[in-house]
Amino acid sequence: MVRRTVSGLAAFAAALGFAVALPASPAVAADCATAWSSSSVYTNGMVASHNGHNWQAKWWTQGETPGTTGEWGVWADQGTCTGGGGGNPDPDPSGFVVSEAQFNQMFPNRNSFYTYSGLTAAMSAYPAFANTGSDTVKKQEAAAFLANVSHETGGLVHIVEQNTANYPHYCDAGQPYGCPAGQAAYYGRGPIQLSWNFNYKAAGDALGIDLLGNPWRVEQDAAVAWKTGLWYWNTQSGPGTMTGHNAMVNQAGFGHSIRSINGSLECDGGNPAQVQSRVDNYTRFTQVLGVPTGGNLYC
């Protein structure tokens, strides 16, 4: 028995005067254009990729996320895409909901000390961080943490507190363990600017690191620095009523995370410009991650 291929059958049938319908070739997704950026300006006809689709702008737009186009529909969906200019990268293999490309987009001028790998390595100390609830809630928590971090460090630029006059102020000599590294050793360091000897003691005890005796590790080791930030975010309520982690996973709102970090100085009208800076960061980062901000942004 002779076995003929589809193309062979088509030729055979054509020779006999018959028409044969060949199966359609599967559609091939287009290459992804350059990933959409909330800070970029797009005009009529420009294309950007977001969440695995290419999108074409119908007119001037900035900061309006493709796929959540609102009443006027500035973005036209051009269909699925793959590879090409990169589109929206998949999350890091560590499981973090923020990809390295998105992290770099959030912090284009960051100090090289604040590595993405340092952050993802530090997350093992607090596995519930950005890993609790729905995908939207996970991304909102990541955006909230990074928004506060951005405010504290000038966009991940500063590793240590810039006002050196504050340095001796952070030693509470009344604590039984005192200030073994020196009176001026406990100034703000790291992504949430850990300060005061009692905070270095508590963070070090929780992380199994002697930060009371060697607070300089926070400005020398990126993973340690990130761990101190995650320690505060996940375990400390500060002047607030809940931790930043609980504020986001329980949907209390971004404003409560501000209160837990610096509420005594900024909230309730204390410094509205500082609060606005944090909210602006959070709004921008949720746009990068393609999720809504949720309510209760202010404190």
Side-chain angles (χ1 to χ4, degrees), residues 64-65 67-74:
E64 188 166 5
T65 309
T68 56
T69 53
E71 179 182 0
W72 300 107
V74 62

Side-chain angles (χ1 to χ4, degrees), residues 147-148 151-152 254 258 262 265-267 270-281 298-299:
N148 281 299
H151 178 82
E152 295 289 318
F254 178 70
I258 302 174
N262 208 24
L265 295 179
E266 296 180 14
C267 294
N271 196 328
Q274 297 293 303
V275 171
Q276 188 63 55
S277 169
R278 296 179 192 267
V279 172
D280 289 346
N281 287 338
Y298 295 86
C299 62

Side-chain angles (χ1 to χ4, degrees), residues 162-169:
Q162 298 301 289
N163 187 356
T164 57
N166 284 341
Y167 287 12
H169 172 68

Side-chain angles (χ1 to χ4, degrees), residues 172-191:
D172 181 0
Q175 298 292 337
Y177 41 78
C179 301
Q183 184 177 357
Y186 301 100
Y187 49 84
R189 296 178 177 88

Side-chain angles (χ1 to χ4, degrees), residues 37-43 46 60-63:
S37 168
S38 62
S39 60
S40 296
V41 170
Y42 299 91
T43 56
M46 294 180 69
W60 189 99
T61 181
Q62 182 180 33

